[in-house]
Amino acid sequence: MQPLLKVQALSKSFNLRASLFSRKQFSVLKNISFCLEKGETLAIIGETGSGKSTLAKLLAGAGTADSGQIYLDGNIIEDNGVRDTQCRHIRMIFQDSEASLNPGLTIGDMLDDCLQYNTSLDKETRVEKIKVTLAKVGLLNDHQHYYPHMFSGGQLQRVALARALILDPKVVVLDEALSSLDPSVRAQTVNLLLKLQQETGLSYILITHHLSLVRHISDQLVVLEHGEIVEYGRTEDVFQAPKSRVTQKLFNC
């Protein structure tokens, strides 16, 4: 049985200025490979500069790799830097949810724009879709008339989740999306994520430095160091017997 998401030999480099007249290629990710099953959560951890956020952006289509492939449900959606622009089944939630939202638009307008751009749904169907999606993340239908500055931090993260879910994705990438929340709000958001996963079979890729959260909700764990995978396995197995130096260091912090 094929996995929901398969990442194969993904690599990414950037050109950096070495001197006034020359540039040097800096490798950010090197031959990244892993799989994710439907209804599972894969956590990615690593020290600052290990390539976590770059990997998140590549997975969500916010950038393209130099080489490697990404498969979703057995269909290739990226092949050696060529991305299927029609693929909307991998969505991303950023750490700063307010900064990722347009302050001049109501939440309803944002969600409606998303549907108009990516689907052929008529107005009536879009209105119902927005209502159902807001309810799914614990927001009221009236919230669609609010602007981003009118929400609390926890509510903003629910808005960001609604924007991700409005297109019925199969995978949601959470790039430090829970880090800025206070512990009680984070716990509520985690419970919501787990509830949605149980109800819909949604899969998550969680990038975080909160190891207790990793152990609590992830099924698999990837550890990055200098753009390479140094450890990959079932989360509890890695926590019980970390093999790499960087994993041991992260667990002892």
Side-chain angles (χ1 to χ4, degrees):
M1 184 177 175
Q2 64 188 11
L4 173 67
L5 179 71
K6 180 180 179 182
V7 176
Q8 187 170 284
L10 213 61
S11 297
K12 179 70 176 179
S13 298
F14 293 109
N15 288 319
L16 301 177
R17 187 181 295 278
S19 64
L20 187 60
F21 301 106
S22 66
R23 289 183 172 272
K24 182 172 66 173
Q25 196 169 66
F26 175 68
S27 184
V28 184
L29 296 171
K30 308 166 193 172
N31 293 315
I32 303 296
S33 299
F34 61 82
C35 294
L36 176 65
E37 301 291 343
K38 180 180 179 181
E40 284 198 340
T41 299
L42 180 140
I44 300 173
I45 64 172
E47 296 177 316
T48 301
S50 61
K52 302 187 299 296
S53 288
T54 299
L55 178 55
K57 290 173 183 174
L58 296 185
L59 294 173
T64 54
D66 298 331
S67 59
Q69 292 79 36
I70 301 176
Y71 295 86
L72 187 67
D73 262 345
N75 300 310
I76 192 162
I77 62 169
E78 180 160 338
D79 186 15
N80 292 322
V82 179
R83 184 81 175 197
D84 178 2
T85 56
Q86 300 303 311
C87 181
R88 52 184 173 84
H89 294 297
I90 303 178
R91 303 281 284 166
M92 186 168 176
I93 302 176
F94 298 92
Q95 179 176 2
D96 189 346
S97 51
E98 185 170 13
S100 69
L101 300 172
N102 188 332
L105 291 178
T106 65
I107 302 311
D109 285 341
M110 279 185 221
L111 297 177
D112 193 53
D113 284 351
C114 195
L115 289 173
Q116 286 193 64
Y117 182 76
N118 292 284
T119 73
S120 57
L121 299 177
D122 60 32
K123 177 66 175 176
E124 185 179 351
T125 308
R126 296 199 308 272
V127 168
E128 182 62 24
K129 181 74 173 174
I130 291 169
K131 179 181 177 181
V132 169
T133 303
L134 289 174
K136 193 180 291 185
V137 300
L139 293 173
L140 301 173
N141 189 42
D142 283 350
H143 280 135
Q144 66 176 290
H145 305 300
Y146 289 25
Y147 290 88
H149 72 272
M150 300 167 74
F151 291 94
S152 67
Q155 287 176 319
L156 280 171
Q157 208 59 295
R158 289 173 184 255
V159 170
L161 182 57
R163 188 174 62 172
L165 295 180
I166 196 77
L167 295 178
D168 298 316
K170 297 176 180 178
V171 180
V172 172
V173 181
L174 301 146
D175 186 11
E176 295 286 4
L178 307 174
S179 299
S180 60
L181 303 177
D182 66 58
S184 62
V185 176
R186 186 185 305 130
Q188 292 172 15
T189 307
V190 167
N191 289 336
L192 173 61
L193 291 170
L194 292 174
K195 180 173 177 285
L196 290 170
Q197 188 174 56
Q198 188 174 32
E199 290 175 351
T200 67
L202 196 59
S203 298
Y204 299 122
I205 292 179
L206 174 69
I207 296 171
T208 184
H209 59 270
H210 287 282
L211 295 180
S212 59
L213 183 60
V214 169
R215 196 166 192 175
H216 176 53
I217 73 169
S218 71
D219 303 285
Q220 297 185 75
L221 177 58
V222 165
V223 184
L224 292 181
E225 183 181 27
H226 303 309
E228 295 184 89
I229 293 180
V230 294
E231 199 137 5
Y232 171 38
R234 306 300 295 179
T235 299
E236 196 54 38
D237 293 343
V238 177
F239 269 90
Q240 290 289 348
K243 296 180 175 61
S244 72
R245 177 200 59 80
V246 69
T247 309
Q248 293 167 3
K249 180 181 176 182
L250 288 168
F251 286 176
N252 290 328
C253 285

